């Protein structure tokens, strides 16, 4: 399959509307600016189909993107909401697979009274030779982003267009912004088993009704519920994360202990985000040829007055 390259000009000619514009980013990257209502908006980089900013209609930024993030072809952006596929974490391929490094194409965008949408896709034809070689399967990944006043929904569809089955892991690697990490409380994880990457991968059970982040944290919680809540006790804001098709969720914060290992994190940044990352990481998803798999993450802002 071959496609013609979507340039800034052709993207704007074909898809732009009053709530969608494509703009150039440093280097040769392109991002989409999608809006809904007066102040709700998202920025999505075509590289990685990566949401780097999400402002809800109260004008508040809900995602953390590093001020030292790199915007270069083939380099993942630190922060926001990367899509991880077909390998979460380390393995045969480079860390976290290729979907976050590859340039996705725009399929469609709509704008109505109820929401604004953008649909992006990635296929084997969009990969470079090294990536195609590392994962020799025919597939179509489709990401539909839907924006309303206070919600951002990411629906990821994986379609096996190959003649043989394939298996993969995936995740929404969501960097949620907090005013101060010590004000962050996560609920919905009580009594779940988790694998602690920092304690020799031991399987432990979460005993706390509300999980506080007070140290370097890198855990994979198992059999997550349909909703997880992140409350910022300093602002009274809660992000309700509703998911489907996701078995696990990583909770990650490098703390001062480990953030120095990330050259694209400005010192002290660990205080302003926590990653909650729903997906299927423990067990691979098996997809027969011709089959589709769908996973969804909806982020909804709840305000306490
Ligand atoms: O949160 C899961 C995780 O794989 C962590 O182990 C941590 O290293 C993080 O993602 C960041 O990974 P990255 O490849 O983006 O540097």
């Amino acid at each position: 399959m071959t496609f013609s390259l979507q340039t800034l000009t052709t993207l704007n000619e074909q898809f732009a509307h009053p709530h969608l514009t494509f703009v150039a980013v440093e280097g040769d990257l392109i991002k989409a600016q999608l809006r809904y209502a007066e102040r709700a908006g998202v920025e999505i980089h075509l590289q990685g189909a990566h949401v780097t900013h999400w402002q809800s209609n109260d004008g508040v930024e809900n995602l953390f993107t590093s001020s030292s993030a790199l915007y270069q072809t083939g380099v993942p952006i630190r922060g926001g909401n990367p899509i991880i596929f077909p390998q979460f974490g380390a393995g045969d391929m480079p860390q976290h697979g290729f979907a976050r490094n590859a340039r996705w194409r725009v399929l469609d965008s709509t704008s109505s009274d109820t929401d604004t949408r953008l649909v992006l896709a990635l296929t084997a034809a969009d990969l470079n030779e090294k990536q195609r070689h590392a994962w020799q399967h025919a597939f179509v990944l489709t990401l539909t982003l839907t924006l309303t006043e206070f919600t951002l929904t990411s629906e990821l569809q994986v379609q096996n267009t190959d003649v043989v089955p394939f298996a993969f892991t995936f995740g929404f690697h969501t960097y949620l912004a907090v005013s101060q990490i010590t004000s962050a409380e996560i609920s919905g994880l009580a009594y779940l088993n988790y694998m602690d990457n920092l304690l020799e991968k031991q399987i432990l059970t979460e005993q706390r009704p509300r999980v506080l982040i007070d140290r370097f944290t890198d855990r994979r919680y198992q059999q997550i519920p349909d909703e997880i809540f992140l409350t910022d006790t300093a602002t009274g804001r809660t992000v309700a994360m509703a998911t489907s098709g996701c078995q696990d969720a990583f909770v990650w914060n490098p703390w001062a202990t480990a953030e120095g290992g990330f050259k694209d994190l400005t010192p002290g940044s660990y205080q302003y985000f926590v990653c909650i990352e729903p997906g299927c990481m423990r067990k691979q998803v098996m997809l027969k040829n011709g089959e589709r798999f769908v996973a969804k993450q909806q982020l909804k802002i709840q305000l306490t007055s």
Side-chain angles (χ1 to χ4, degrees), residues 78 88-89 95-96 100 173 175 197 218 250 252 262 277:
R78 175 70 57 200
F88 194 98
Q95 157 97 343
H96 286 333
R100 66 176 181 167
H173 200 305
Y175 289 71
N197 249 338
D218 193 358
F250 264 85
W252 181 66
F262 298 88
E277 309 161 31

Side-chain angles (χ1 to χ4, degrees), residues 11 88 204 224 232:
L11 283 164
F88 194 98
L204 301 165
I224 59 166
D232 187 327

Side-chain angles (χ1 to χ4, degrees), residues 78-295:
R78 175 70 57 200
N81 204 165
I83 301 296
I84 309 298
F85 175 91
Q87 171 194 289
F88 194 98
D92 298 339
M93 269 176 235
Q95 157 97 343
H96 286 333
F98 52 67
R100 66 176 181 167
N101 304 334
R103 162 83 184 260
W104 292 50
R105 59 189 47 257
V106 178
L107 283 194
D108 193 23
S109 179
T110 57
S111 173
S112 72
D113 288 348
T114 47
D115 58 44
T116 311
R117 281 171 198 235
L118 180 66
V119 186
L120 299 157
L122 183 75
T123 69
D126 301 309
L127 304 181
N128 63 34
E129 217 176 295
K130 221 172 163 185
Q131 292 164 332
R132 267 200 301 268
H133 183 73
W135 208 67
Q136 297 175 13
H137 291 293
F139 68 92
V140 181
L141 272 192
T142 313
L143 181 73
T144 304
L145 293 164
T146 308
L147 179 68
T148 72
E149 277 187 295
F150 286 97
T151 65
L152 174 63
T153 307
S154 306
E155 183 184 287
L156 182 69
Q157 180 181 284
V158 185
Q159 195 182 346
N160 182 341
T161 52
D162 211 329
V163 290
V164 291
F166 61 62
F168 60 91
T169 51
F170 77 96
F172 300 95
H173 200 305
T174 313
Y175 289 71
L176 295 169
V178 289
S179 62
Q180 216 350 291
I181 191 66
T182 47
S183 308
E185 286 189 1
I186 307 169
S187 44
L189 302 176
Y191 311 117
L192 300 187
N193 288 340
Y194 64 89
M195 181 278 292
D196 197 325
N197 249 338
L198 307 177
L199 286 177
E200 295 166 343
K201 299 192 189 291
Q202 280 183 75
I203 305 294
L204 301 165
T205 304
E206 182 57 74
Q207 303 295 346
R208 297 168 292 175
R210 285 182 298 281
V211 171
L212 310 180
I213 308 294
D214 57 4
R215 67 197 65 182
F216 180 20
T217 303
D218 193 358
R219 298 172 170 189
R220 187 195 60 213
Y221 286 85
Q222 298 172 193
Q223 294 185 300
I224 59 166
D226 295 345
E227 272 195 302
I228 295 173
F229 301 88
L230 171 68
T231 298
D232 187 327
T233 56
T235 62
R237 249 175 126 71
T238 293
V239 182
M241 175 188 273
T243 59
S244 58
C246 298
Q247 299 287 323
D248 314 302
F250 264 85
V251 173
W252 181 66
N253 181 292
W255 209 252
T257 326
E259 76 170 357
F262 298 88
K263 65 173 190 302
D264 50 3
L265 269 183
T266 312
S269 306
Y270 77 91
Q271 298 171 84
Y272 305 112
F273 73 88
V274 56
C275 284
I276 305 180
E277 309 161 31
C280 290
M281 298 96 172
R282 192 165 67 99
K283 284 191 191 151
Q284 291 185 315
V285 178
M286 303 292 301
L287 210 54
K288 291 198 190 116
N289 31 317
E291 280 185 347
R292 286 163 204 255
F293 169 84
V294 177

